[in-house]
Amino acid sequence: MKNENSDGGVLIVANNRDDRRVLFDAFDGADFDAIYTARDAAQAHALLAQEPELALIFVEFVEPNAEAEGLCRLLAGHPRWRLVPRIGVLAANASAPGTPGGPNAPVAVWVKSPVNAPEVLRHARDLLAPVRSSSAGEGGGDWIEQLETPALIVDLASDRVRQANGRALKLLRCDRETLAGASANALVGELPPVRAEGLGLGEARIDAQGDPRLVGLAALGYGDAHGRLVLLTASALADSPLEVLAGLARSGLDSQGVQPVLKRLIADYGLDFFYVCVERGGSESEPQVLAAFPRTGQGGVHPVWQTELYRRVLAGAEFSAGEDAITRLGEHFFKQLRLASVLALPLFGEGQRAIGALIAGGRKAQPRAGELLSVLRMVGSHLALQSLVARYRSDSRFQGLHDSLTRLPNRLLFNDRLTSAIAEASRGSEQFAVLFVDLDRFKTINDSLGHAVGDQVLSAVAKRLRASVRASDTVSRYAGDEFTLILRHIVQRDDVTRIADKIVKVLETPLTLTDGRELQITASIGISFFPDDGKDGETLLKHADVAMYSAKGMGRNCYQVYVAVPEESHRQRLDLETKLRVAERNHELRAYYQPQVDAKTEDIIGMESLIRWEHPELGLISPGFFIPIAEDTGLIVPIGEWILRTACTDARRWIDKFGLPLRVSVNLSALQLRQPNLVEVIESALEESGLAAQYLDLEVTESINIKDIPNLMELLGALNELGCHIAIDDFGTGQSSLDYIKRFPADRIKIDQTFVRNIGVDPADEAIVRATINMARNMDRIVVAEGVETEDHLRFLRDHGCQELQGYLFCRPLPAASFENLLNERARLLAEIAAE
């Protein structure tokens, strides 16, 4: 997607952290020289003073919009950046561009917050395609067909259309022969002039073979002085009678805001019947009535949802008919109301699924039926969107319990359902199955094709998995490219293996990407059964994970059932142990780092080092799988020393490079704590790396028993004297006494992620978190919360005085190179803030 006209980067100016992160991640996987981020216009000005080469610019507009508008005008008038495409990001509740209170700026395309990565990547391709084509010297125009926006190439001198893509033909409802050489003015009216910034914005009414509609125009210079590339987009601007929609957008769903708009529509079009209903979902039979005119004599509502017409519309069909068609439909309901015309259309939710219906009618024939239908489509769309928003807001747990990309249950909700399944199966003496699905070579797809393609793959896999099982089963995105399933009420094991075989076959079906390419994906699946393979969730998942790696060892693209046969299990374990013994020598071990941030400023103050094993044949192997083997065999000692030395070296390099006092945390296992020369090993790692001891945090799990390591307190005291800091890891999961904690020479207490992830879900876990923070404060110790994944977690921890945070809300664990890129960006922002 690189703009080959210049070695350019992407500038992201966004105050919304989530949007900034989504944009950064989306373009981090694309072919751009650099990604620059700024929180506001002031930071953007400081960055632009360095005159970077830019290929694309994102600007977020936050009311009153003055700063963002000023920045865009500066860019539009600057000789260096005036031709760089700009994409505007509108806040979710912002007024539409060009309307009162809305932004007015030279922007080519508008997108809504929260930003959708595939959408912005698509817009980027569309905006950069003509630049790439022109710079490459391409004589043909095949690239225009790749645009995902309706587009025309127009010759202003002759007022003729030179070329159009398929999407423009579909929008204008004409064939290529009719459009070739047609008058551009007759099609879309007079084009807006292309100003100094290389962009002209406007709107036009197009006929579309009798279906008039309003579209937005973006005209860009193309080829010679008379050439224009015209992009046709949905316009946010409208005039009477559609101007009422702007008021609708500002009103929300409250009756005071919506009803005046609907009353105006009813009056303008002479309607005698207007009902909007939205399905509630669940077991409730009657839908929610958002608008009702007229009401019954007792002030009630007509049961329109009981009609055949409503059922047809809810199935996705539009209906427009006069009195004869109403009679043929046999709807006595509408005949009793003496309606001569009826228009009905579905309200669409996610995945183009009808969630309700809008039905309007009059006692006279509707002379403007086509226009009214267009208006009702827009009203219906808005009401459907607002209904979905209201529905999600009414369930505050939804966002915290579902994956934002696939909309599947996340790990937290999966674990909760797994606990429920165990309780239910135990009461009824039933069995169920847990499936662990891991995509084969997904890292290669991400690295070679980019994160946008990776997201497409994950979304497609989620849909295929959901379609392969029953509605009563659970499908979740557990982490990354890992999916977990619960198949309940199993009678025979063969039923589960048949489903697993079906999933393997369904997933290996070629996937067609949005750009038309086909991609072959496969998966390895592990299966465990309750209660035979485990009586608690952790054991069931662990055994399903073991079976999944067994499937990978069998050549991938297959499933394996967990086998507890000692001989087979022993053979597999020995094989993996053999591979693990040479992992360091073969440079298969990887150091990953997850940032730790200050709870108040959200600035990076340190990082936890984590070890990963990337086997050339088995791929990235879960630490939960190989660490127990390393501990049982004693390999954890050399592996632990490797990660210690690597972490110290990386930390020293980053401290020197960025001038930031970054602490690095390293876990110490029970076996390492039994090493008689552990202090000497750590001292040696510090000396070799040059890292000051004050920047090294050594984490010891709370569950380590002082009886197993008699000299534990003396050892930790010696490490303290060396200058290192001690942290109690996984706090709350052990059974330590308060006296033990008091004597433990620790500077930090890390609250286990099990409790943090249940914030907002389990009041008992919230109480544990509050008590831990209060205890640590009274003992003059710093509290670090692990597993912070949602804004609700962040607010709760801040409100109760937690000082440091770590989790996916801020950043996932990153390889060393990616973590250094993150520090590069962070250091640049800190430097700009200091310069101000």
Side-chain angles (χ1 to χ4, degrees), residues 104-175:
N104 183 13
V107 170
V109 176
W110 293 97
V111 296
K112 276 276 192 181
S113 176
V115 171
N116 178 277
E119 179 189 7
V120 296
L121 287 168
R122 183 175 69 247
H123 285 311
R125 283 196 298 270
D126 289 356
L127 291 170
L128 295 178
V131 181
R132 294 199 307 271
S133 177
S134 176
S135 65
E138 295 177 2
D142 291 343
W143 59 269
I144 197 173
E145 289 297 338
Q146 305 302 318
L147 298 182
E148 298 195 24
T149 299
L152 308 170
I153 296 179
V154 173
D155 184 353
L156 294 181
S158 61
D159 183 33
R160 289 292 179 264
V161 176
R162 292 181 188 171
Q163 192 175 1
N165 64 8
R167 287 178 172 80
L169 297 177
K170 184 176 180 181
L171 176 68
L172 297 168
R173 296 188 179 179
C174 58
D175 55 37

Side-chain angles (χ1 to χ4, degrees), residues 458-735:
L458 293 172
S459 297
V461 168
K463 291 177 182 177
R464 293 181 181 185
L465 289 175
R466 186 66 269 175
S468 300
V469 299
R470 301 162 300 182
S472 59
D473 298 325
T474 294
V475 180
S476 89
R477 183 184 177 196
Y478 202 70
D481 62 335
E482 297 172 347
F483 296 82
T484 48
L485 292 79
I486 303 173
L487 307 185
R488 308 178 82 156
H489 310 300
I490 298 302
V491 178
Q492 296 181 350
R493 287 191 172 210
D494 288 347
D495 297 335
V496 175
T497 56
R498 278 195 293 271
I499 293 172
D501 187 60
K502 175 185 175 182
I503 291 174
V504 168
K505 289 181 170 60
V506 165
L507 291 183
E508 69 181 2
T509 304
L511 168 66
T512 302
L513 302 175
T514 54
D515 60 7
R517 288 180 294 173
E518 283 196 347
L519 186 64
Q520 186 85 32
I521 54 174
T522 61
S524 300
I525 303 175
I527 306 170
S528 65
F529 290 90
F530 174 89
D532 296 348
D533 300 327
K535 295 185 179 180
D536 61 82
E538 184 178 353
T539 303
L540 286 168
L541 276 170
K542 176 183 176 183
H543 288 166
D545 194 32
V546 169
M548 182 271 292
Y549 278 108
S550 177
K552 285 189 179 291
M554 297 290 288
R556 300 185 177 89
N557 194 29
C558 64
Y559 69 86
Q560 288 290 302
V561 177
Y562 175 72
V563 180
V565 179
E567 293 81 5
E568 177 66 16
S569 177
H570 186 61
R571 186 192 65 77
Q572 291 180 359
R573 184 183 176 89
L574 285 176
D575 182 52
L576 198 64
E577 180 185 328
T578 302
K579 291 180 171 65
L580 185 57
R581 288 186 182 278
V582 296
E584 180 185 350
R585 187 174 65 213
N586 293 343
H587 305 291
E588 296 167 9
L589 299 181
R590 304 283 184 266
Y592 275 55
Y593 298 93
Q594 186 171 31
Q596 295 171 337
V597 305
D598 183 280
K600 292 181 180 178
T601 65
E602 296 184 30
D603 192 14
I604 298 176
I605 55 176
M607 55 275 181
E608 180 179 5
S609 61
L610 304 164
I611 193 163
R612 298 290 186 265
W613 179 16
E614 189 172 358
H615 191 273
E617 295 176 0
L618 300 179
L620 205 60
I621 300 175
S622 166
F625 189 65
F626 73 84
I627 290 296
I629 295 176
E631 289 177 336
D632 290 346
T633 58
L635 290 173
I636 193 66
V637 173
I639 288 175
E641 185 172 337
W642 179 86
I643 190 66
L644 169 70
R645 294 183 183 277
T646 303
C648 288
T649 300
D650 287 343
R652 169 60 192 274
R653 184 176 73 255
W654 293 331
I655 289 171
D656 288 348
K657 180 176 181 179
F658 299 105
L660 299 174
L662 298 171
R663 299 185 334 274
V664 63
S665 301
V666 178
N667 286 278
L668 294 179
S669 70
L671 275 180
Q672 287 177 281
L673 291 170
R674 292 193 186 98
Q675 281 181 266
N677 64 334
L678 178 61
V679 176
E680 289 76 12
V681 168
I682 293 173
E683 192 170 15
S684 169
L686 292 171
E687 288 178 357
E688 289 178 7
S689 64
L691 180 70
Q694 70 190 68
Y695 297 122
L696 177 61
D697 283 3
L698 299 170
E699 297 187 2
V700 180
T701 59
E702 182 199 1
S703 58
I704 289 179
N705 197 325
I706 193 169
K707 295 178 181 178
D708 297 332
I709 309 173
N711 65 333
L712 178 62
M713 293 302 181
E714 292 78 3
L715 172 64
L716 296 179
L719 293 174
N720 248 337
E721 290 179 6
L722 193 62
C724 303
H725 297 286
I726 307 297
I728 304 177
D729 197 17
D730 300 337
F731 187 82
T733 60
Q735 299 178 3

Side-chain angles (χ1 to χ4, degrees), residues 302-354:
H302 292 286
V304 65
W305 55 88
Q306 296 177 0
T307 64
E308 177 63 23
L309 175 60
Y310 182 84
R311 287 187 283 272
R312 289 190 183 188
V313 174
L314 205 59
E318 284 191 356
F319 186 86
S320 175
E323 188 173 3
D324 292 342
I326 296 172
T327 302
R328 288 196 303 273
L329 188 63
E331 289 286 18
H332 297 292
F333 176 85
F334 295 111
K335 286 192 289 185
Q336 288 175 353
L337 292 169
R338 295 174 303 167
L339 298 182
S341 63
V342 171
L343 293 173
L345 51 94
L347 307 184
F348 289 112
E350 295 174 312
Q352 286 299 295
R353 181 179 64 86

Side-chain angles (χ1 to χ4, degrees), residues 384-394:
L385 175 62
Q386 291 299 317
S387 177
L388 286 172
V389 170
R391 185 178 298 176
Y392 288 146
R393 284 175 178 170
S394 68

